[in-house]
């Protein structure tokens, strides 16, 4: 791995590393490079958890007639309509079945109720 970082950033990490050195050894981190790697991994994990919870999206409404759940996307300020059909879920913004709105829809109890009603089987969760 070859990374270029700004000197002040490097210095800050180096200082933190020196301070936490003993503690890190107990966690199995024995070098500065190892420390950077584990820090990046931690950050990435946090990021993934954040993305999964998708705090930028919220349930906006539900149309029982069309089995469409409306999801407000606070990043784009648009409202996505995710429609539950027998063959699965579709998003009217992305015209796909694997966009962020669909991912979020699968976390909503209302969607599961409709899926059950229509006999749609939930997808295998990709991990
Ligand atoms: Zn979408």
């Amino acid at each position: 791995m070859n990374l270029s970082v700004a000197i002040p950033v490097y210095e800050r990490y180096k200082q933190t590393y020196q301070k936490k050195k003993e503690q890190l050894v107990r966690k199995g981190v024995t070098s500065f490079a190892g420390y950077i790697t584990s820090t990046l991994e931690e950050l990435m994990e946090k990021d993934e958890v954040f993305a999964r919870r998708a705090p930028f999206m919220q349930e906006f409404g539900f149309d029982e007639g069309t089995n469409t759940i409306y999801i407000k996307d606070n990043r784009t300020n648009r409202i996505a309509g995710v429609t539950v059909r027998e063959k699965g879920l579709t998003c009217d913004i992305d015209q796909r079945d694997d966009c962020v709105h669909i991912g979020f829809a699968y976390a909503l109890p209302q969607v599961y109720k409709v899926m059950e009603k229509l006999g749609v089987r939930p997808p295998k969760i990709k991990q």
Side-chain angles (χ1 to χ4, degrees):
M1 184 171 75
N2 204 334
L3 264 181
S4 302
V5 293
I7 300 287
V9 175
Y10 175 83
E11 287 300 328
R12 206 166 61 214
Y13 274 101
K14 193 91 189 169
Q15 273 171 19
T16 314
Y17 171 66
Q18 294 296 349
K19 257 185 258 164
K20 291 166 122 187
K21 215 168 176 174
E22 269 175 56
Q23 214 182 305
L24 287 164
V25 169
R26 266 178 267 137
K27 278 166 70 183
V29 179
T30 52
S31 67
F32 182 56
Y35 167 62
I36 294 294
T37 306
S38 72
T39 303
L40 286 176
E41 271 169 8
E42 256 171 53
L43 275 177
M44 228 179 321
E45 266 165 42
K46 272 184 206 156
D47 215 44
E48 275 164 24
V49 170
F50 185 80
R52 238 177 284 142
R53 285 190 198 148
F56 52 87
M57 283 196 276
Q58 64 195 94
E59 195 175 347
F60 195 74
F62 176 67
D63 182 349
E64 221 164 315
T66 56
N67 291 323
T68 301
I69 199 127
Y70 293 99
I71 293 163
K72 172 108 191 289
D73 187 331
N74 291 318
R75 286 181 315 179
T76 57
N77 271 319
R78 291 180 71 181
I79 291 166
V82 173
T83 306
V84 185
R85 294 191 178 92
E86 264 116 279
K87 58 178 166 63
L89 274 62
T90 44
C91 170
D92 65 358
I93 290 186
D94 300 292
Q95 304 290 334
R96 285 164 38 194
D97 62 1
D98 61 350
C99 68
V100 285
H101 309 113
I102 304 252
F104 182 73
Y106 279 125
L108 302 172
Q110 178 69 56
V111 170
Y112 276 92
K113 264 188 242 162
V114 179
M115 282 166 66
E116 227 168 76
K117 199 177 79 187
L118 296 178
V120 183
R121 286 172 57 196
K124 283 182 201 123
I125 305 294
K126 281 176 242 165
Q127 277 294 348

